[in-house]
C-alpha cells in the first residue's frame, strides 16, 4: 500500500514521528510530505493521486479543508494542539476520518463529539536504549519552554528538598543535552500539556524522577507519589519533599519497563488499524452543514480566547 504521511517540517528535525514511520514502513511504502506553515500544507497533486491512505500528523491540511475528499484519511492529533474544540471534532467525525490517539483525555473528547473509528495507544521508550544514570536526587532540571515561570517551579518544593534547581533556556545538541542531563536525578516536565511527551518519557526511560503539571499526557503515564510526581503547578496543594522523590526513584525502573511492555503490546494494533482505515469510504468534507460547523468552530475559538 502507498501511504502519504503529511507532517510539519519541525518534526522532520526533532524526528518525533520516526517511531510511527518505522511501523508503517514495516509493510508499506511511505511518501512523506513536509510543510512549513500551519494549515497551509499544499500537498502536490501527484502525491495525492498515488496515495491509497493519507495520514495527517498533528495538523489537519487546513482550518476549513480538514481532509482530502475522495481519499481515505487518518488523523493523528496531539492533545497540546488546541484539540478542545467541540465543533472541529464534530467536523472530523462527520468527515469519516479514522483517528489514532496517544492520549486518553483526547480520545474521550473525540468520542463525545461523535468520532467512532478511533484507536488509543500509549507510546513508551525502550529503557535498554538509554544510559541508566538516575543522577543526583537533590539536583533538579527545568527546561523552560515558556509555560511556567521559574518562581512557579521553585514554589513546588519544600525548602530542603533540593540542593540545586537549574533552569535551562537554551537549546542544546542531542549530545550536549544527554551529557547535561546526567547530573540531575529530578526532571521537571517543561510543558503544561503534551501531545505524546517525548522529553519526559525519555527521562522515565533513563530512570529519573519526573515531576509534571497535572494534565495529559503526563498524568496518564505516572501515578502521583509512586512512579512520578504530579502537581497543579499554578496552585500546588502540597509541596514536594526529598522523601517524595526517593519513593519515585525506588519505583521508576520497574515502571519504565512496564510502560515499554505495554507499548510493545499496543503497537501491534497500529498497523492493522491504519490498514483498516485505508479500506473505509473516502473522507467527505464540505456542503452546507459543514460550512455551518466551520462557522461554529470559528466562533467557539473567538469565545475561548476572550473568556478562557
Amino acid at each position: 500500500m502507498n501511504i502519504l504521511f503529511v507532517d510539519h517540517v519541525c518534526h522532520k528535525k526533532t524526528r518525533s514521528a520516526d517511531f510511527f514511520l518505522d511501523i508503517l514502513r514495516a509493510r508499506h511504502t511511505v511518501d512523506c510530505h513536509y510543510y512549513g506553515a500551519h494549515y497551509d500544507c499544499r500537498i502536490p497533486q501527484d502525491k495525492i493521486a498515488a496515495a491509497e491512505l493519507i495520514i495527517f500528523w498533528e495538523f489537519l491540511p487546513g482550518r476549513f479543508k480538514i481532509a482530502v475528499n475522495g481519499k481515505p484519511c487518518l488523523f493523528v492529533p496531539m492533545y497540546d494542539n488546541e484539540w478542545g474544540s467541540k465543533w472541529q471534532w464534530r467536523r472530523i467525525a462527520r468527515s469519516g476520518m479514522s483517528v489514532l490517539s496517544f492520549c486518553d483525555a483526547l480520545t474521550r473528547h473525540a468520542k463525545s463529539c461523535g468520532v467512532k473509528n478511533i484507536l488509543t495507544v500509549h507510546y513508551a521508550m525502550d529503557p535498554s536504549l538509554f544510559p541508566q544514570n538516575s543522577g543526583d536526587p537533590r539536583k533538579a532540571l527545568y527546561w523552560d519552554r515558556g509555560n511556567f515561570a521559574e518562581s512557579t517551579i521553585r514554589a513546588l518544593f519544600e525548602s530542603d528538598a533540593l540542593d540545586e534547581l537549574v533552569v535551562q533556556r537554551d537549546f542544546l545538541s542531542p549530545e550536549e543535552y544527554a551529557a547535561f542531563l546526567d547530573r540531575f536525578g529530578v526532571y521537571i516536565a517543561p510543558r503544561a500539556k503534551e501531545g505524546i511527551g517525548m522529553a519526559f518519557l525519555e527521562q522515565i526511560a533513563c530512570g529519573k524522577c519526573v515531576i509534571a503539571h497535572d494534565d495529559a499526557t503526563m498524568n496518564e503515564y505516572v501515578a502521583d507519589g509512586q512512579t512520578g510526581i504530579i502537581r497543579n503547578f499554578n496552585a500546588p496543594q502540597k509541596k514536594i519533599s526529598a522523601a517524595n522523590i526517593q519513593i519515585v526513584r525506588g519505583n521508576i525502573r520497574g515502571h519504565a519497563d512496564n510502560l515499554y511492555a505495554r507499548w510493545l503490546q499496543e503497537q501491534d494494533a497500529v498497523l492493522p488499524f491504519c490498514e483498516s482505515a485505508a479500506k473505509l469510504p473516502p473522507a467527505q468534507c464540505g456542503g452546507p452543514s459543514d460550512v455551518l460547523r466551520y462557522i461554529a468552530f470559528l466562533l467557539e475559538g473567538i469565545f475561548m480566547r476572550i473568556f478562557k
Side-chain angles (χ1 to χ4, degrees):
M1 180 168 63
N2 294 320
I3 298 174
L4 176 58
F5 181 80
V6 182
D7 192 8
H8 193 274
V9 70
C10 66
H11 297 135
K12 187 177 182 180
K13 181 177 181 180
T14 63
R15 305 185 69 177
S16 56
D18 279 11
F19 75 93
F20 183 75
L21 291 170
D22 289 342
I23 293 173
L24 298 177
R25 287 170 176 151
R27 277 208 297 259
H28 302 289
T29 300
V30 182
D31 183 13
C32 295
H33 171 66
Y34 294 100
Y35 56 93
H38 295 327
Y39 301 108
D40 187 20
C41 60
R42 298 178 186 269
I43 309 170
Q45 287 300 314
D46 59 330
K47 291 192 174 190
I48 292 174
E52 297 169 83
L53 172 66
I54 302 177
I55 298 177
F56 299 105
W57 184 270
E58 186 167 2
F59 299 104
L60 294 166
R63 290 191 183 275
F64 181 71
K65 185 181 179 182
I66 61 172
V68 176
N69 282 334
K71 288 287 182 177
C73 296
L74 185 149
F75 181 36
V76 187
M78 296 294 158
Y79 179 71
D80 61 323
N81 187 37
E82 298 184 82
W83 291 110
S85 166
K86 292 183 179 179
W87 286 104
Q88 182 77 318
W89 275 107
R90 288 176 182 176
R91 295 169 68 211
I92 292 168
R94 181 188 173 278
S95 75
M97 280 192 291
S98 299
V99 175
L100 177 66
S101 169
F102 287 93
C103 173
D104 294 327
L106 189 152
T107 297
R108 290 191 296 270
H109 182 67
K111 287 182 175 180
S112 74
C113 296
V115 174
K116 293 182 173 58
N117 194 35
I118 185 166
L119 174 68
T120 311
V121 293
H122 308 85
Y123 177 66
M125 300 180 185
D126 183 355
S128 70
L129 300 179
F130 294 88
Q132 295 303 297
N133 183 351
S134 56
D136 187 333
R138 297 191 62 82
K139 296 182 184 296
L141 173 67
Y142 172 54
W143 177 24
D144 185 357
R145 298 185 65 183
N147 280 204
F148 301 103
E150 180 177 343
S151 59
T152 298
I153 300 302
R154 292 190 180 277
L156 296 172
F157 297 90
E158 291 184 355
S159 58
D160 60 348
L162 298 173
D163 292 332
E164 183 180 14
L165 170 63
V166 172
V167 179
Q168 175 69 18
R169 295 185 173 89
D170 298 327
F171 281 84
L172 304 173
S173 71
E175 295 76 19
E176 291 172 326
Y177 184 63
F180 184 61
L181 279 166
D182 279 352
R183 298 167 44 200
F184 303 97
V186 178
Y187 181 82
I188 300 162
R191 303 180 67 183
K193 300 174 184 286
E194 284 288 0
I196 296 177
M198 296 296 188
F200 82 86
L201 289 176
E202 182 176 292
Q203 298 316 304
I204 288 175
C206 289
K208 298 183 187 294
C209 172
V210 168
I211 297 171
H213 179 62
D214 189 9
D215 205 343
T217 59
M218 295 84 69
N219 60 10
E220 297 178 356
Y221 277 92
V222 299
D224 178 39
Q226 296 301 312
T227 56
I229 297 175
I230 300 294
R231 293 288 188 275
N232 180 340
F233 281 13
N234 296 309
Q237 298 296 309
K238 181 180 177 183
K239 289 186 179 291
I240 300 166
S241 68
N244 297 147
I245 294 169
Q246 289 292 7
I247 291 171
V248 172
R249 284 167 60 86
N251 297 330
I252 194 61
R253 295 195 187 281
H255 181 58
D257 290 336
N258 290 338
L259 288 178
Y260 184 60
R262 179 180 68 175
W263 165 242
L264 289 179
Q265 288 186 322
E266 292 182 348
Q267 75 169 342
D268 289 341
V270 171
L271 198 52
F273 182 76
C274 294
E275 291 166 344
S276 69
K279 299 174 184 177
L280 293 175
Q284 297 296 322
C285 301
S289 63
D290 211 44
V291 171
L292 293 174
R293 288 184 179 89
Y294 177 61
I295 294 171
F297 162 60
L298 294 179
L299 293 174
E300 178 188 49
I302 293 170
F303 179 84
M304 290 175 69
R305 281 165 174 76
I306 294 175
F307 296 104
K308 196 169 182 179

